Amino acid sequence: MAKRVVLIVIDGLTPSVFERAVENGDAPSLSFLAEHGRYARALSSFPSLTPVCASSIATGADPDVHHIPHLVWFDRDERRLVEYGSSFGAMVAAGTRRAIVDTIFNLSGRHLSFEAVTVFEALDDAGLVTAAVNFTCYRGRTEHRPTVPGLTRTTLGPRRFFFYNLFESDVTGAPLSVRRRSAGSVDEYAAAVGRWLITRDGFDFFLFYLSDYDYASHTHGPDAAAGKLADADRAIGSLMDAAGGQDDFLERYAVVVCSDHGQTPVHHDVALEAAYADLSLFRRSGWERPDVAVCASNRAGQVYRLPLCVESVRELAERLDGRPAIDVALFLEDGGAVARRDGEELGFRRVDGGWKLAGDAAVLDHPDGLARAWAALHNPNAGDVLVSAAGGYEFADLSGRSHAGGGSHGSLSAGDSEVPMLVVGLDTVPAGISDVTPAVLAHFGVEQPASSPPACVA
Ligand SMILES: [Zn+2]
């Protein structure tokens, strides 16, 4: 019988902070795991934003398969903006109630493609007990009723499912105060749930998600957030204590530690909308024959060309030439993809498992840039033009807010895209976040669902 698996996702943790902390002893629990496991830097999805990346982790597939395109996107069928919480202001701008429903219920329940099978669904189907705490992409086979009085809408999640006190499949006594977020209260809740599960050995697969690190890194910048990793490490240490100590923990569990995306410092914020100011922009308040819907937040943007627009997709992309905030604009053309930077272009298409290139390859000189851009462009919910921000820049969200002076992520750049990947007790070190679920399924001897790519051996 394969060992049970704990998958620990520390949101926004960069490889360099992880490596330094493990090296100098600032994160003793992670150091212990690193001593007993194998480590490599791995790659995130594009856009390197949590809803996209969490979906890549949960489904073992890229955005072209799981269909979650960004933190904010335009739903062409419903003709409306979907906002998963770029900021509180952005949620208000998109309609608070709607944004909350989109984030809590619709991401997993409606927007996530039913063609993509989640790790929870695949393992549930194999008769294994799945568990998750606070993870946004949670679709499973068990129907859960909210614990909050007045909320009646149910959702499908893992067998043991804990989501910010809104869904709790078991009474654990774990406290949660979202108002003390900056003090780390969300991760304290996650750790309390984790200890409860481990004390009971109550799962075969447990996705333990820590979100406070990303929050701190946005505020203070990726390098100033290193101290926050000590909190995440303590939370992991408390799980080990619940198992009877570090050695007992590894005796019982195989472990994967990774993050969903990186972060880089941001100094300037710009409104991506400014490039389209002379066009009619989609606004939530009215349907006034808009030309485009511009969706941007953090370090990635999307431009949706709407039916009445007289400009072509290419012309919409060309408008971004010469703007310092733009690293590269991407769009599909004639069955291939185009990456454009200040008038320089790279055309690329998949041919026989490889790539056919035309133009200046340096335009898309990012880690696994071709494949990640291709998957993003072939997501049916993505915009017609995808935008990756230049270093140091961030796009203001729907409410004009940004993290200038702090940290952000979302682009194709290495800093936003590289994640730490530590594995103890699995056969392979996943090369990307979408390779984690295939590695976990292989560990349990569960066949890959048809939607998932084959497991990647690194
Ligand atoms: Zn973030």
Side-chain angles (χ1 to χ4, degrees), residues 157-435:
R159 184 96 67 86
R160 296 198 129 141
F161 179 45
F162 305 87
F163 195 76
Y164 301 95
N165 276 165
L166 289 171
F167 292 99
E168 294 183 309
S169 58
D170 302 88
V171 179
T172 65
L176 176 72
S177 164
V178 280
R179 265 166 289 161
R180 291 195 306 115
R181 176 89 208 241
S182 56
S185 57
V186 172
D187 286 357
E188 281 171 21
Y189 168 78
V193 168
R195 288 192 296 272
W196 186 91
L197 284 166
I198 284 186
T199 303
R200 281 154 192 80
D201 217 3
F203 59 87
D204 293 297
F205 172 77
F206 173 33
L207 202 165
F208 181 58
Y209 172 62
L210 298 173
S211 63
D212 283 339
Y213 184 86
D214 186 67
Y215 189 82
S217 185
H218 276 297
T219 310
H220 306 295
D223 291 314
K228 256 292 176 203
L229 185 56
D231 293 345
D233 191 78
R234 256 192 302 279
I236 295 164
S238 77
L239 300 193
M240 293 173 163
D241 291 344
Q246 293 181 327
D247 293 321
D248 290 338
F249 185 74
L250 283 192
E251 195 65 38
R252 274 159 65 176
Y253 304 114
V255 184
V256 181
V257 182
C258 66
S259 65
D260 51 347
H261 53 71
Q263 273 218 20
T264 46
V266 285
H267 310 293
H268 319 280
D269 61 278
V270 299
L272 185 60
E273 290 87 348
Y276 305 94
D278 57 316
L279 299 178
S280 172
L281 265 62
F282 176 83
R283 308 252 179 234
R284 184 188 159 229
S285 47
W287 182 251
E288 295 166 8
R289 302 171 64 85
D291 298 306
V292 290
V294 178
C295 298
S297 119
N298 287 268
R299 290 181 22 80
Q302 315 191 79
V303 183
Y304 293 77
R305 181 185 177 276
L306 303 180
L308 294 173
C309 185
V310 296
E311 286 191 25
S312 66
V313 169
R314 166 172 280 280
E315 286 169 321
L316 294 175
E318 286 171 356
R319 283 172 170 259
L320 301 173
D321 289 354
R323 292 180 184 258
I326 312 297
D327 171 31
V328 62
L330 299 149
F331 56 98
L332 295 175
E333 191 175 70
D334 300 332
V338 178
R340 186 177 172 93
R341 177 194 286 146
D342 291 340
E344 296 292 324
E345 283 196 358
L346 171 69
F348 57 106
R349 65 183 72 219
R350 254 194 213 289
V351 178
D352 301 330
W355 296 98
K356 187 167 177 235
L357 305 182
D360 184 355
V363 173
L364 205 52
D365 190 12
H366 304 78
D368 206 15
L370 295 169
R372 293 166 66 224
W374 187 262
L377 286 165
H378 286 84
N379 179 345
N381 290 326
D384 297 289
V385 179
L386 301 187
V387 188
S388 179
Y393 282 92
E394 190 180 45
F395 300 124
D397 68 25
L398 279 176
S399 64
R401 292 195 47 166
S402 80
H403 304 99
S408 187
H409 51 91
S411 81
L412 278 163
S413 74
D416 289 356
S417 307
E418 285 188 346
V419 301
M421 184 68 71
L422 172 66
V423 164
V424 193
L426 293 193
D427 291 339
T428 58
V429 183
I433 57 171
S434 57
D435 300 315

Side-chain angles (χ1 to χ4, degrees), residues 83-85 91 98-107 136 163:
E83 168 58 67
Y84 296 135
M91 292 180 88
R98 188 161 251 189
I100 289 171
V101 170
D102 280 337
T103 309
I104 296 172
F105 294 99
N106 290 343
L107 190 159
T136 343
F163 195 76

Side-chain angles (χ1 to χ4, degrees), residues 44-50 52-53 63 68-70 300 302 372 376 386 410-411:
S44 178
S45 301
F46 173 67
S48 41
L49 298 164
T50 295
V52 183
C53 300
I68 303 298
H70 201 290
Q302 315 191 79
R372 293 166 66 224
L386 301 187
S411 81

Side-chain angles (χ1 to χ4, degrees), residues 38-124:
R38 285 181 295 155
Y39 172 79
R41 291 188 175 197
L43 283 178
S44 178
S45 301
F46 173 67
S48 41
L49 298 164
T50 295
V52 183
C53 300
S55 302
S56 297
I57 291 172
T59 61
D62 294 314
D64 53 339
V65 173
H66 67 57
H67 295 183
I68 303 298
H70 201 290
L71 263 166
V72 55
W73 56 282
F74 181 74
D75 187 324
R76 293 183 178 91
D77 295 331
E78 296 187 3
R79 291 186 169 189
R80 69 178 187 92
L81 296 175
V82 175
E83 168 58 67
Y84 296 135
S86 298
S87 66
F88 183 70
M91 292 180 88
V92 173
T96 312
R97 197 191 146 75
R98 188 161 251 189
I100 289 171
V101 170
D102 280 337
T103 309
I104 296 172
F105 294 99
N106 290 343
L107 190 159
S108 264
R110 290 181 56 197
H111 303 149
L112 187 73
S113 169
F114 287 97
E115 302 290 309
V117 180
T118 70
V119 64
F120 308 112
E121 292 168 327
L123 293 177
D124 280 343

